[in-house]
Amino acid sequence: MQIKDKVAFITGAAQGIGKAVTDALLQKGAYVAVCDVDSDTGEQTVTEFAKQYGDDRVIFLHCDVTKKDSIKSAMQRTTDKFGRLDIIGNNAGITNEKQYDLCVDINLGGVVRGTWLGLDFLRKDKGGNGGVIINMASMAGLMAVPMVPTYAATKAGVIGFTRSWGASMDYDQHQVRVNCICPGFTDTQMTKEETVEEKRAKGLLHSEALVAIMSESLKLSTNAVADVFIQLVEDDTKNGAVMALVSEQPVQEVKFPDIFTNVEK
């Protein structure tokens, strides 16, 4: 896919990874809808990008990924503004073990809603142009993380959901690729500022150990994650790909065992 003049819809884009993804897409010549529940920060982000890339290339839309109507409305407003939709980044997410229902609703539910609703806009057999959906998972979805079991479960769900769409048996009809990224610890506001007490307030388990691990770990830059996002958009051979990204290590596509290979039919 050539990104120039394509239209992207990115959730959780007011700051952190979503903001870096937006910047990377704008650098490539895309039009971008910055979508977030934090209107103040989102508007500031769009003002910043508009000065650099032009106010005709980027807009802010309030979007609550726990609500289907909010997502659908924001997607419709994106297509009304820019005339098309090609790229969806389901990036919004939280870490909260105390409000575990909300954690599931945003991290997994938001991805599921964003994908199903996005397909209605992207599917070639429904009048769209085809396209690509990139879901933000985590290394926590690939390993045991006793400090954040709910968070880990949501990200494992994102991986399974993404792989299942990547194996779609009617891809030739809809022509929408679906991939995901699994970053390790990333240098965001959350990893910079949250103390042991703040993590405890969110119900995170073994908070002291988690803070110690995070303080000793090399963190990814948000730009590094955005680079992988761009690669997945541009590489038409990637569908159902799960990309693992850990600081100071090459990006790896995760390979899963095929447990049905030797099953007799």
Side-chain angles (χ1 to χ4, degrees), residues 3-4 11 35 51 60 87 98 114 117 128-129 137 155 158 164 176 197 200 228 237 250 254 256:
I3 294 176
K4 182 175 171 54
T11 67
C35 304
K51 290 178 181 176
F60 173 75
I87 301 161
K98 181 170 286 185
L117 293 169
N129 301 295
K155 296 304 185 178
V158 170
S164 296
V176 180
E197 290 72 23
R200 282 178 181 157
V228 178
T237 69
V254 180
F256 296 85

Side-chain angles (χ1 to χ4, degrees), residues 134 177 179 181 228-235 238 243:
I134 310 295
R177 297 181 291 114
N179 300 298
I181 305 173
V228 178
F229 188 102
I230 295 296
Q231 291 167 25
L232 287 173
V233 170
E234 293 181 326
D235 188 346
K238 297 297 186 191
M243 308 303 291

Side-chain angles (χ1 to χ4, degrees), residues 108-146:
L108 181 55
V111 168
V112 171
R113 293 182 197 96
T115 300
W116 277 107
L117 293 169
L119 282 162
D120 287 337
F121 288 86
L122 297 181
R123 290 183 70 112
K124 208 154 194 178
D125 55 357
K126 289 191 175 183
N129 301 295
V132 60
I133 299 173
I134 310 295
N135 297 324
M136 198 58 62
S138 167
M139 288 299 293
L142 294 168
M143 56 194 292
V145 189

